[in-house]
Amino acid sequence: MSKTIAVNAGSSTLKFKLFDMPSEDVVAEGTIERIGEKMGHAKIKYGDGQKHEEEKPFADHGAAVNYLLDQLIDLGIVKSYDEITAVGHRVVAGGEFFKDSAVINDDVIKKIDELSEYAPLHDPAELIGIKAFRKVLPNAFAVAVFDTSFHVNMPKMNALYSVPYEWYEKYGARKYGAHGTSHRYVAGRAAKMLGKPLKDLKLITMHIGAGASITAIKGGKSYDTSMGFSPLAGITMATRSGDVDPSLVAFVQEKLGVSSQEMISILNHKSGLLGISQLSPDMRDILAAADKGNDQAQLALDMYVNRIVRYVGAYIAEMGGADAIVFTAGVGENSIPVRKLVTDKLAYFGIKIDQEKNKCHGVERDLSTDDAKIKTLLIPTNEELMIVHDIERLKKEQGK
Ligand SMILES: Nc1ncnc2c1ncn2[C@@H]1O[C@H](COP(=O)(O)OP(=O)(O)O)[C@@H](O)[C@H]1O
Ligand SMILES: CC(=O)OP(=O)(O)O
Ligand SMILES: [Mg+2]
């Protein structure tokens, strides 16, 4: 029996799922969190209900990947690496070059390396994973699945910034978006739940995790998205600022006397929920503190909800309506209060959820009331399954 592994390197995490093929049963899955921090955390589920958990530092993504490879053998998840015949890697930035997932070879690796400047928090980490797996699985069918591919053909009117056009021509200055694999997956599931073909639907998918983005999907295609040139733009995130007036950045940079790289780092790592609350990047902490009357946490929560509502409203207007909005990713899948706050503020559009149906997490469910004009769906994302489907499609295309 052959196995396929999907590897999802985030900015500070490494997630994986190992699938038995062709059944697509998940035989092991896990997350390594807080990579690069003083203390990291690894959690792997495997076999029939077995769990492995460990607190230890992971200096960088290289250390995390090596740990994962060791654990696959040490925990007896595989007897030998040869059992894994295909591997898929999430890559955030594919630029305009990768319009679809790609079979990994030397040229593809070189190209991803070149594109790293578009996603410095993500692509270098993902390259480390690609190279490490290539070393131990030299014969596996390896595929890169890009976050940006789904957005690459969005209308130019939405992809471009109102800046000198030659910036786009010379430097690729445009909106690339991210989380495309997730938006694509939940859109497909939404169509199934609504019992309508994707091509006939207008959807707004809210991928709200630590990184977060909202996408307007028209006829199954990305029409507009909240992330921009990099995954820093859009709504308020755990530690990322989302949209900021660039002149404010230049102004504060001067005051602080720091480099532009340092400014970008502050906007990426010290902003968002963490920056406003001065407490935590984690929505669970923000909700608990706001509940106890912490004003900064309340402000962070209000801003977070407001930014989501702003984009959903804009996208309903841009698409001339919507059939459904979809909650997904860490906060969207798990936070009952955030889903309530967001949908309450969208009541004007005929978005209305049943509070009893909302009492759940991690399940596919239509949360709408019967009289809702626009449906509200909860759909747990599954980027890893999407990666496996892309691997199978590319295998077929290549006659393998
Ligand atoms: N029960 C919950 N309530 C609110 N937020 C939650 C809950 N569970 C997880 N989260 C949030 O989900 C985030 C992680 O989401 P995830 O989609 O895994 O992120 P990413 O892939 O961007 O690292 C965490 O920052 C955490 O704040
Ligand atoms: C692009 C991005 O923000 O990814 P993540 O949410 O995994 O950090
Ligand atoms: Mg993610």
Side-chain angles (χ1 to χ4, degrees), residues 128-301:
I128 289 170
I130 290 175
K131 287 178 183 162
F133 271 90
R134 234 182 164 211
K135 217 177 199 173
V136 296
L137 303 171
N139 300 317
F141 188 76
V143 166
V145 178
F146 301 90
D147 269 38
T148 48
S149 295
F150 183 57
H151 305 295
V152 84
N153 289 321
M154 77 165 71
K156 255 193 181 164
M157 145 184 104
N158 294 333
L160 293 197
Y161 294 102
S162 323
V163 294
Y165 191 73
E166 68 256 27
W167 292 8
Y168 168 59
E169 295 172 307
K170 279 193 190 152
Y171 311 120
R174 58 159 282 175
K175 193 190 262 196
Y176 289 100
H179 298 135
T181 312
S182 174
H183 291 295
R184 188 156 60 101
Y185 173 78
V186 297
R189 294 301 312 164
K192 290 242 158 61
M193 285 172 80
L194 297 169
K196 288 193 181 148
L198 199 47
K199 67 171 182 32
D200 296 339
L201 291 170
K202 292 173 184 166
L203 301 168
I204 298 168
T205 48
M206 300 172 283
H207 177 108
I208 45 179
S213 66
I214 300 192
T215 298
I217 302 176
K218 205 173 173 181
K221 294 185 177 145
S222 173
Y223 185 73
D224 202 351
T225 196
S226 63
M227 278 183 170
F229 175 71
S230 81
L232 178 53
I235 57 175
T236 302
M237 302 179 225
T239 63
R240 286 174 238 169
S241 62
D243 298 335
V244 176
D245 178 347
S247 61
L248 173 71
V249 180
F251 175 82
V252 176
Q253 183 180 344
E254 197 127 297
K255 301 276 176 211
L256 296 179
V258 298
S259 68
S260 58
Q261 279 316 308
E262 281 168 293
M263 282 306 288
I264 298 293
S265 175
I266 295 169
L267 294 171
N268 266 307
H269 300 292
K270 297 194 172 147
S271 303
L273 290 177
L274 174 66
I276 295 293
S277 72
Q278 301 170 326
L279 189 77
S280 168
D282 194 308
M283 182 52 85
R284 287 164 287 201
D285 300 334
I286 301 295
L287 286 163
D291 228 25
K292 287 196 189 112
N294 181 311
D295 289 341
Q296 289 301 123
Q298 186 63 50
L299 177 61
L301 177 62

Side-chain angles (χ1 to χ4, degrees), residues 327 335-347 351-361 365-371 376 378:
F327 282 104
S335 180
I336 297 166
V338 170
R339 290 197 299 258
K340 177 174 179 350
L341 289 166
V342 168
T343 46
D344 279 354
K345 284 196 117 186
L346 291 165
I351 288 172
K352 204 165 153 197
I353 63 169
D354 179 323
Q355 300 310 331
E356 280 308 307
K357 290 184 191 161
N358 190 33
K359 283 183 191 155
C360 64
H361 52 91
R365 184 178 280 185
D366 183 345
L367 307 177
S368 334
T369 57
D370 292 341
D371 60 341
T376 301
L378 165 56

Side-chain angles (χ1 to χ4, degrees), residues 60-104:
D60 50 30
H61 279 79
V65 171
N66 287 333
Y67 178 84
L68 164 60
L69 286 167
D70 287 347
Q71 292 304 319
L72 289 176
I73 298 285
D74 292 352
L75 297 173
I77 296 170
V78 294
K79 287 201 181 65
S80 127
Y81 291 126
D82 300 345
E83 289 174 36
I84 305 172
T85 55
V87 48
H89 296 271
R90 174 207 188 190
V91 178
V92 168
E96 284 193 325
F97 186 82
F98 291 107
K99 293 190 163 47
D100 190 6
S101 304
V103 178
I104 294 173

